Amino acid sequence: MKGVVIIINLSINTQRLFLRTTTQEDLDAVASIWGDIEGGKYMPDPNYKSGNEIAEILEDDPDCPVYYLVAFRTGYDEVVGTCSLGFENADANEYSIGYNVKKDYWGNGYAGEMVHALIDFARELGIKSITAPVAKANKASNRVMEKCGFFIDGESSFKKSGTAIVHPTFIYRLDL
């Protein structure tokens, strides 16, 4: 397995969550969330089976920084979700976010809490805007975006890796 290169160790505390930089030890837990058939349905990535399959994705590139975080309920050691903030457009100082919550924890507001944490972190970095592609059929994530203050700025689509499934998407935007 290729090692994850961590440029910045980051930790963020929210009301109920502790988010920190993803490490090598987290990869199997991340793969179990991303690889869940139902939980990963609206992700462009394939349905991963192990951390070995995703290690390369999480390698940092200093020219294109992405902050990959795992989320834990405060006081617990089980990964309940993942989120990321990644470089999108240098000219516009624009980043994109993504998130996924383990199916066992759906409906508890953790996605919104992670998104708010990413928004606050983006502000600290001086980022001017954040985008988030969300499959139109993903009603829960569309609600999260709206509740967090994002607006629909465009439409697109993506193909689920390794399948013929194409998801029409809304491109959400939040100007900071």
Side-chain angles (χ1 to χ4, degrees):
M1 178 188 333
K2 212 168 183 181
V4 175
V5 178
I6 299 170
I7 293 176
I8 296 176
N9 280 318
L10 177 64
S11 62
I12 301 170
N13 289 296
T14 69
Q15 182 179 352
R16 301 174 300 153
L17 298 174
F18 172 68
L19 288 72
R20 67 159 170 75
T21 302
T22 303
T23 67
Q24 190 80 34
E25 292 75 30
D26 301 320
L27 295 183
D28 285 336
V30 170
S32 74
I33 295 170
W34 293 2
D36 180 80
I37 298 296
E38 190 176 0
K41 179 178 181 177
Y42 297 116
M43 292 182 66
D45 303 293
N47 293 322
Y48 298 106
K49 293 177 181 55
S50 75
N52 290 338
E53 295 176 305
I54 61 173
E56 191 172 299
I57 294 169
L58 300 181
E59 290 182 2
D60 284 326
D61 175 350
D63 296 325
C64 187
V66 178
Y67 302 92
Y68 290 104
L69 305 172
V70 287
F72 302 85
R73 290 183 301 149
T74 302
Y76 294 86
D77 62 1
E78 177 186 10
V79 176
V80 299
T82 66
C83 59
S84 63
L85 175 70
F87 188 71
E88 192 71 30
N89 179 339
D91 295 332
N93 192 15
E94 185 177 279
Y95 280 64
S96 181
I97 63 168
Y99 55 88
N100 198 326
V101 175
K102 189 174 181 178
K103 192 168 40 178
D104 297 348
Y105 296 97
W106 286 359
N108 289 297
Y110 294 137
E113 201 165 324
M114 287 190 293
V115 170
H116 280 296
L118 291 174
I119 291 168
D120 291 344
F121 178 58
R123 281 191 178 109
E124 288 177 23
L125 294 175
I127 293 170
K128 300 296 180 207
S129 68
I130 302 171
T131 61
V134 177
K136 290 181 180 182
N138 189 343
K139 304 293 185 208
S141 279
N142 282 286
R143 279 192 309 273
V144 168
M145 291 289 95
E146 291 164 8
K147 285 181 179 180
C148 291
F150 285 74
F151 63 91
I152 296 172
D153 190 40
E155 296 185 20
S156 187
S157 65
F158 68 86
K159 184 176 178 185
K160 175 81 173 168
S161 181
T163 74
I165 299 168
V166 175
H167 291 289
T169 61
F170 290 121
I171 306 300
Y172 284 91
R173 179 183 187 90
L174 179 67
D175 294 320
L176 303 175

